[in-house]
Amino acid sequence: MQEYHNETFLMAQQQLDEVAELMNLETGIHERLRYPRKALLVSVPIKLDNGQTRVFSGYRVQHDQTLGPTKGGIRFHHEVNLGEVAALAMWMTWKCSLLNLPYGGAKGGVCCFPEEMSVGEQERLARRYTTEILSIIGPEKDIPAPDMYTNERTMAWIMDTYSNFVGYAVPGVVTGKPVNVGGSLGRGEATGRGVSYLTTRALEKLQWGIEHPTAAIQGFGNVGSVTAKYLDQQGVTVCAVSDVHGAIYNPKGLDIPNLMKYVKDNGTIVGFDGSEKIDGSQLLELPVDILVPAAVANVITEKNADKIQAKLIVEGANGPCTPEADRILLKKDVFIIPGILANAGGVVVSYFEWVQDIQHLFWKEEEVTEKLYYLMGRSFDEVYHLSQTKGVDTRTAAMMIGVGRVAAAKSLRGLYP
Ligand code: GLU
């Protein structure tokens, strides 16, 4: 299927092929997992504020439905294309299965420059996109959520559009909604909380004896900023962060609570007091213990992997390390918490939100967070244990568990018809 082929999709497929071989996966099942089950390409026309009409390309890809309805975010970004969305949908399948969630993976996106669009334009885009994919989403079918440049407001528009179509309120069609319309407490911070929780858990497990760990975080959006907040609270010195405008560094540590305030007022991290502006690419190569890539895919490649000094990489983003980079990092004994585990906090609390919506019964934030840490901790331990017993790296171990559960279910269900 030529239509999916791009760099990110081929990378996701290569990761699957490698573990399939290692696990002796049945050829038929492996073959069925190599491509998405369904992909929808839609044109999304909207009226711009200046009166002109523009048509954007939108996608929704459902990779696998073996374990339940499909689940995954929607991103508004100028690099969105079918192959990338398909790769992200595949990763969602492994992520949900690894965390034992009763879901398959999906992803959606609209190719656009959201930073240049007004709130009104974004609303029209979200609503028309929802209308175009309406026939394949639903609380029992496919449940979208936020991703890059979409947020709880976008989710409220999606919920409203879907609900108006069917004629009654359907909060369970989408997760990551505002609490007032059926969202869950603790969903907004869930991904960053999960990233920071696993970072500390890994440091405990690895017993490197680092007294005052230091970290650099690439990306200061929902994932990066919340990770910084909690790492800081847990006693990790966050020395560098970056956003689309640039990167800042202070080897002695950045004042994270004040930086969060600064970003609220200024819309960027750049220019923050007590920091030196550095190159975005430099951030990845700083002399720190922990590196959290929490922005886009393919940032650690064979070109820079050798220059990375951190000993622990926690993938807040989806797919930040290429397979070539993985091989180099492995040789350098870098411990990686792979994205399908590290950033799973978002979808875990999305699952809790969906369960609460279906039951019409809502939980306290402490309950949400406690359950989040329990699921994340359990999966981390499973991955660590498998990597130790099988002598494989952590990404391979995580994939083996994720792929293994889907494959086992596929084998039990058999091939329809
Ligand atoms: N977009 C997030 C992810 O990549 C969350 C998905 C969800 O909550 O369904 O995991």
Side-chain angles (χ1 to χ4, degrees), residues 95 99 187 190-192 194-195 341-350 372 376:
K95 192 187 294 185
L99 271 292
R187 174 60 184 86
T191 312
V195 171
L341 174 61
N343 68 40
V347 72
V348 167
V349 177
S350 274
L372 163 70
M376 299 281 296

Side-chain angles (χ1 to χ4, degrees), residues 71-73 92 95 107 145-147 175 187 318 343 346-347 350:
K71 186 88 194 78
M92 284 307 298
K95 192 187 294 185
K107 203 82 176 194
D147 201 82
T175 59
R187 174 60 184 86
N318 291 308
N343 68 40
V347 72
S350 274

Side-chain angles (χ1 to χ4, degrees), residues 30 45 132 176 188 252 297 355 378 408 413 415:
H30 175 200
E132 295 304 327
K252 294 208 174 72
V355 169
R378 186 177 66 181
R413 285 183 55 164
L415 181 57

Side-chain angles (χ1 to χ4, degrees), residues 75 100 249 382:
R75 58 173 61 176
N100 262 310
Y249 180 46
E382 283 172 0

